[in-house]
Amino acid sequence: MAKELEIGVLLHTRHLIREGGSSPSFEQLWDDAVLSEEMGLDHIWLGDSITLLDKARGDCLTTLGALAMKTKRIKLGVVPFLPVLRHPVVLAHALATLDVISNGRLIIAASVASMREHIQRQFAACGAPIHEKAGRLEESIQILRGLWTQDTLTHEGRYYQLKEVGILPHPIQRPAIPIWLTADRHDDGFKRVAKLADGWVTMVNTAEKFAQGRAKVDVYARECGRAGKIPVSALYASFNMDANGEKARSEGWAWMEKFFGVPQSQSAYHVGIFGTPEECARTIQTYVDAGMTTVIARIASSDPKRQMRLLLNEVRPRLSL
């Protein structure tokens, strides 16, 4: 049997926080997670932001622990995750514990982060120098894997120094929790994926750019002796589908403008796959033909359950891997 495209969905907590008044409830999130598993999705994802009131979310790691107890099979992840906002020893312990709680279902899709103003504010609030973000990310990944696989770790780096530090529990997954890394345009990002990642995540808005990015990852992976070590190629995109394609496009972009607080003209870096199920399947197929193995879907609709069903029942069966 041919392998199917893996499909995951981003579960939102922003509206639960901002519209919940003084007592926000996460009951809808638990229901959405259970439904995602029952429908046969491969993974569920949360976003990561800490100090941004206009983008407030529940803490992603705490919430993942609860989701792990509400589900049994589906994989759990954070995208895009910002490890540099946390000390790597504390983070290694938290993620390892989550992997044990979830019985080995954790994934992280880490990002070096952009230089957009709201990202700079968040780094400053967490005491993380944003001009050091790339170096700190790479060093953090080395520390995470060292603490997950060794009894004790001694590390003398530019940003972190550890002497005979160990954590327990270790993750269930071996050799370690999968770490996917984002890269869209810059060669430094593709080189980082090639050197350190178990998977590649991107938001490029054409299949041609996707193929070019995957080719760069493969070239750089061969150069550093990691050919074949990065099997996952994931597209992070927003979806809205309807039998009326124009309705889907209108609703999808209206949802995006409300969610991000900027007009469509300023959202060029977001991939919007909006239209009829047939149109969306044709678009996704171009990415599959370019090497995509996985979709992480942000549902740009007020009816996410219907959209998830369309994605699984009307779009995925039309795809040829």
Side-chain angles (χ1 to χ4, degrees):
M1 181 177 178
K3 180 177 173 60
E4 287 188 319
L5 178 74
E6 285 202 0
I7 298 178
V9 64
L10 180 73
L11 298 183
H12 300 294
T13 61
R14 284 192 196 180
H15 65 292
L16 302 177
I17 301 297
R18 292 191 291 187
E19 299 172 11
S22 59
S23 301
S25 172
F26 280 62
E27 291 302 320
Q28 185 61 56
L29 185 69
W30 313 147
D31 292 344
D32 290 345
V34 171
L35 178 64
S36 298
E37 182 167 75
E38 291 174 348
M39 291 174 65
L41 285 161
D42 297 290
H43 17 80
I44 50 180
W45 299 84
L46 300 177
D48 182 22
S49 57
I50 298 176
T51 65
L52 307 178
L53 296 182
D54 58 336
K55 302 178 186 296
R57 293 182 171 100
D59 174 70
C60 59
L61 301 185
T62 306
T63 308
L64 277 185
L67 289 174
M69 300 306 296
K70 297 287 184 178
T71 57
K72 301 296 182 185
R73 174 198 59 80
I74 198 165
K75 295 177 184 177
L76 311 169
V78 184
V79 62
F81 187 51
L82 303 177
V84 176
L85 299 183
R86 298 133 173 119
H87 191 282
V89 174
V90 177
L91 180 59
H93 192 214
L95 292 173
T97 303
L98 273 173
D99 199 56
V100 172
I101 291 172
S102 67
N103 196 28
R105 292 185 283 141
L106 185 62
I107 310 167
I108 62 171
S111 171
V112 74
S114 73
M115 290 296 290
R116 290 195 290 274
E117 189 271 338
H118 70 275
I119 298 291
Q120 294 189 46
R121 285 191 283 118
Q122 186 162 213
F123 270 68
C126 294
I130 197 162
H131 62 280
E132 298 176 352
K133 59 191 177 74
R136 285 181 178 270
L137 174 61
E138 294 186 12
E139 202 168 311
S140 291
I141 291 172
Q142 295 169 6
I143 292 171
L144 293 178
R145 288 188 173 132
L147 290 171
W148 290 338
T149 57
Q150 301 175 35
D151 291 336
T152 61
L153 175 69
T154 295
H155 176 88
E156 290 293 336
R158 179 176 179 181
Y159 306 106
Y160 305 103
Q161 295 77 43
L162 308 175
K163 184 176 181 180
E164 297 181 359
V165 174
I167 63 163
L168 287 174
H170 284 168
I172 286 180
Q173 296 183 83
R174 292 289 184 266
I177 296 165
I179 298 176
W180 303 355
L181 289 176
T182 63
D184 296 326
R185 297 178 300 278
H186 303 298
D187 275 6
D188 284 349
F190 294 119
K191 290 177 181 178
R192 187 177 304 113
V193 172
K195 181 172 66 173
L196 294 171
D198 303 303
W200 169 51
V201 183
T202 188
M203 292 172 57
V204 293
N205 57 10
T206 69
E208 181 181 9
K209 292 177 183 177
F210 192 98
Q212 292 168 351
R214 181 68 227 197
K216 288 185 177 182
V217 168
D218 289 340
V219 167
Y220 293 137
R222 286 193 295 271
E223 290 177 356
C224 61
R226 296 193 70 236
K229 300 293 187 182
I230 310 158
V232 175
S233 295
L235 177 70
Y236 184 23
S238 300
F239 286 82
N240 189 301
M241 292 153 287
D242 192 86
N244 183 329
E246 287 304 316
K247 177 184 175 185
R249 284 182 279 275
S250 175
E251 180 181 293
W253 284 116
W255 187 97
M256 295 281 280
E257 288 182 347
K258 180 180 179 181
F259 186 78
F260 290 104
V262 296
Q264 179 183 345
S265 60
Q266 297 179 28
S267 298
Y269 57 90
H270 291 295
V271 184
I273 300 179
F274 306 146
T276 67
E278 294 86 352
E279 290 171 335
C280 293
R282 286 197 295 270
T283 298
I284 296 171
Q285 185 66 55
T286 65
Y287 281 93
V288 170
D289 294 342
M292 181 179 70
T293 65
T294 304
V295 164
I296 301 172
R298 177 193 290 113
I299 303 300
S301 167
S302 58
D303 189 356
K305 295 180 179 64
R306 176 173 175 269
Q307 294 294 320
M308 287 190 288
R309 290 191 178 97
L310 287 170
L311 194 55
L312 287 170
N313 300 330
E314 299 293 330
V315 174
R316 183 152 69 176
R318 289 184 163 93
L319 302 175
S320 175
L321 270 67

